[in-house]
Amino acid sequence: MKVGIVQTNPEFGQVTQNIEKAVTGISQHEADLWVLPELFNTGYQFKSKEETAALAEEIPGGPTTQRLIEFAKEKKTAIVAGLAERAGDKVYNASILVNRTGEVFVYRKIHLFYEEKLYFTPGDLPFSVHSVEYRASNNQVLKAKIGMMICFDWIFPESARSLALLGADIICHPANLVLPHCPDAMPVRCLENRVFAITANRIGSETRTKETLRFIGKSQIVDPRGKILFRASDTQEAVQVLKVNPKEARDKQLNPYNPLLDDRRESFYLGLPSV
Ligand code: ACM
């Protein structure tokens, strides 16, 4: 399966320009699945609830989702991308998975970071996984299970674990990272769950308030053994396609004695609902 990652530098509020730049970047390559950053169409540093609501879009009716549907159908690919979602009087920091037939699945960021708490409603949908088709080298049509989480969700191991328990082969992880730790943490998330992870981050900075936010780049693709297959720079935009085998994520047997997920001892863990 060919998976593609895009590292962008969006200009705040320039939605059409940001979308077209990202779409043009990936048009020159072929992949079965693309992952774009969090809030890739708007930029990150909102200043008010009104501004956030004005830049948020309905899913799937809004122009960003419609443009990605058009692209996915035309190129017969799947795309994951982050955007602000307006749903009634609420605004979510969301991501969408658009598959090659134009079907759309939504994830709403569960763990909001820092001032996102002022402008977004915390996600209210459970983690979920969805099938994405790809062609094997013998032209056979196969399916990979795709799960989504957004940026700061990484610091809660429960996010990746939930997706692994749901059967995700690949965690698609749109991000706008400002803390330095995530690129080093994601290989551990992959190792402890035996999944692939594609973290698509942005570069550049925004100073729309008294504070400057610098985004750390280092978008990366990590395999189920925790190996970093690709890592982008911290300053340059990037597009990279790699071939991965989703089936590698389905072998959870560490050795003859340790099936990774079945070996969990839930009754000894804190913070889980009692069964
Ligand atoms: C983040 O969650 N955007 C840091």
Side-chain angles (χ1 to χ4, degrees), residues 130-241:
H130 309 280
S131 290
V132 161
E133 285 188 358
Y134 67 100
R135 253 175 218 288
S137 23
N138 64 2
N139 235 11
Q140 197 186 355
V141 178
L142 300 173
K143 287 184 181 173
K145 288 270 179 74
I146 304 300
M148 292 183 276
M149 63 184 208
I150 300 177
C151 205
F152 191 54
D153 283 330
W154 72 266
I155 210 166
F156 301 89
E158 294 86 349
S159 308
R161 175 52 53 88
S162 299
L163 291 169
L165 288 171
L166 288 166
D169 301 317
I170 303 176
I171 294 178
C172 295
H173 183 208
N176 273 192
L177 295 163
V178 289
L179 300 177
H181 319 291
C182 178
D184 293 332
M186 284 312 289
V188 181
R189 296 289 170 273
C190 291
L191 190 62
E192 64 201 6
N193 293 293
R194 281 253 175 130
V195 291
F196 289 92
I198 305 175
T199 299
N201 192 29
R202 61 164 290 181
I203 55 161
S205 65
E206 288 181 0
T207 312
R208 305 193 64 254
T209 66
K210 284 192 273 245
E211 188 172 21
T212 296
L213 294 179
R214 290 183 203 290
F215 302 97
I216 67 162
K218 296 184 178 166
S219 296
Q220 63 185 22
I221 303 174
V222 184
D223 82 3
R225 310 283 160 142
K227 185 172 172 206
I228 298 167
L229 303 177
F230 167 75
R231 181 179 275 181
S233 84
D234 49 2
T235 52
Q236 303 294 313
E237 293 178 299
V239 178
Q240 179 74 38
V241 175

Side-chain angles (χ1 to χ4, degrees), residues 10-11 13-23 26 36-43 46 52-73 79-86 92 94-99 102-106:
E11 197 173 323
Q14 301 302 311
V15 172
T16 308
Q17 173 190 309
N18 294 333
I19 297 171
E20 288 315 312
K21 222 176 141 194
V23 166
I26 61 182
L36 275 57
E38 177 183 15
L39 297 166
F40 90 100
N41 58 339
T42 54
F46 292 95
T52 316
L55 284 166
E57 297 180 16
E58 288 180 355
I59 297 172
T64 301
T65 308
Q66 287 299 312
R67 180 71 182 95
L68 296 184
I69 291 173
E70 179 187 67
F71 180 82
K73 284 163 86 171
I79 310 177
V80 170
L83 73 164
E85 176 197 10
R86 192 170 54 242
Y92 298 97
S95 64
I96 49 173
L97 163 64
V98 184
N99 72 18
E103 235 179 326
V104 179
F105 304 94
V106 186

